Each structure stands twice: as C-alpha cells, then as structure tokens.
DNA sequence: GTTCTATTTTGCCAAATAGCCAAATAGATG
DNA sequence: CATCTATTTGGCTATTTGGCAAAATAGAAC
C-alpha cells in the first residue's frame, strides 16, 4: 500500500470511526436540527453525563462538532452537516443492494 | 431515546463501523474499480492473508461486499458503490468546515 | 473570596478489535 | 483416493472502547 494512500485512508477512517456509534449518530442528527447543550443531549441519550461528554470529545476530535460557551452552558453544533447525508444512504443498505 | 430510533441508529452505526478502518476503506475503493480475489487484495494491502480475510468478513457481515466463486478463487465485489461517495466528503473534513 | 452549576477528566473494569501464526476447510486436479 | 491451492477459522496477545462513578475544572453569581 502506497504511503500517501495509506495516510489518506487513515484520515478518512478516523472520521468515519467517530460516527460509528449509535449514540454519536443520535447526537449528530440532533445537532443537525439545532445547537444543543450537553445536559439536553444527556436527557435525549439517557446515559450518564460523563459518557455523553466523552462521545462529544470523540466527535470534537474528529472535527465533526464544535462548542460555543454561553454563560454556564456549552452549545454544541455540527461543523459539517453534509456527513449525515451518508448515514441516510447507509440506513437501508441491506436488501436494497446486490 | 425512543426504541425504534435507537434500533435505526444501531443499524446505521453497524455499517459505518464496518467502513471505519483504513484497510477496509482501501479494499472498498479497490473493489469499486473491479471484482478482486483475496490474494490480490492481500498483495495490495500488505497484511497477512488471514487478516485480509477477516476484514472481508466484517465487510460481508455489514452487507457491503459479496463473493462469487470461480474455480479456486473467490471474487469479491461491492454490493452498494454509493457508500463510497461519502468517504470523499469526509476526506478533507478538517479545514473545510466551520 | 465562597458557592453554585455545567461540563470535563480520571480511574477502573468488561468487552471488542486487530494482528499474526497455525490448523482446518472447500473445491480443482491428478 | 491423495494432493494442491485459495481461503477461512481458531487461538493467542496487545490495544482500544464504552460505560459508570468520583474528583476536578471553568465560569457565573453572590
């Protein structure tokens, strides 16, 4: 495998991996509608808030979300809504393809 | 989180997770060009053939590839080329988005 | 300063993953 | 039948992940 190719696929895989969790997909879809603070996301997801925070860290590191502070709250937002078009494509994969 | 929603995101995440590895992305992109046997993929990837075989199992289970036997060889093919459009979008994520 | 609230970080554990090697399998061919 | 070839499976180890709970942090408000 050529080195530059290897690097490019590693970079792509890192982003895809960040999306590869049900909770994180839920968060991404929720953020598509509007900026949301962590506690609101915790209510939506239902996990411990520290767990939600870790998922947000994963998404932040991948460059998929960013945060904006407003008083005590951190408002998270999607940086690149286009990534969710993909999830829809993937949605009903089985059965549809050859 | 509503149950049906949870299930849908779990199903999507399973497919995305299958794509979330540099070697598997390489394999998928290679298969986009043409059907390929395992030994050819091993040469391309450079890992042990058993490792490549396991990656193919992951992709098969996700419904992303399928195999066709011809003599001694198994020819793998992409079942749903559309999934790769996404990888391109994800490629240069950092820097491009807000 | 202290206190309160939202969020992150740390520590821990169980489960999943990726890789190699060796052994097993499936089909072709002698 | 035995043998060869392509591929898969099983076993092992090292590493990563996801979850909770407790402790730490950052900023607002008193």
């Amino acid at each position: 495998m050529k080195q530059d190719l290897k690097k490019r696929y590693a970079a792509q895989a890192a982003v895809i991996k960040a999306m590869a969790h049900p909770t994180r997909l839920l968060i991404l879809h929720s953020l598509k509608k509007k900026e949301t603070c962590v506690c609101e996301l915790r209510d939506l997801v239902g996990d411990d808030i520290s767990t939600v925070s870790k998922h947000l860290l994963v998404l932040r590191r991948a460059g998929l979300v960013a945060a904006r502070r407003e008083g005590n709250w951190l408002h998270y937002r999607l940086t690149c809504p286009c990534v969710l078009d993909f999830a829809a494509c993937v949605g009903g994969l089985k059965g549809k393809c050859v």
Side-chain angles (χ1 to χ4, degrees), chain A:
Chain A
M1 181 176 350
K2 273 176 263 153
Q3 273 311 311
D4 55 333
L5 206 59
K6 214 168 186 169
K7 257 199 215 160
R8 190 157 74 234
Y9 287 133
Q12 289 184 12
V15 177
I16 296 175
K17 193 174 176 185
M19 297 179 68
H21 190 286
T23 299
R24 294 199 288 269
L25 280 182
L26 175 66
I27 291 175
L28 289 173
H29 275 96
S30 170
L31 293 184
K32 188 168 193 179
K33 289 174 215 140
K34 65 170 178 56
E35 274 197 351
T36 314
C37 70
V38 183
C39 55
E40 204 173 334
L41 288 171
R42 178 209 47 202
D43 293 345
L44 181 69
V45 169
D47 286 344
D48 191 279
I49 192 163
S50 68
T51 301
V52 175
S53 182
K54 274 189 187 173
H55 283 306
L56 286 168
L57 176 64
V58 172
L59 294 172
R60 245 188 297 135
R61 277 216 247 258
L64 290 168
V65 307
R68 176 180 64 86
R69 181 174 283 274
E70 191 168 314
N72 271 333
W73 292 269
L74 281 173
H75 294 268
Y76 276 85
R77 69 172 181 283
L78 266 193
T79 52
C80 203
C82 74
V83 293
L84 287 178
D85 302 342
F86 162 66
C89 155
V90 151
L93 198 59
K94 299 206 177 174
K96 274 193 198 163
C97 296
V98 234

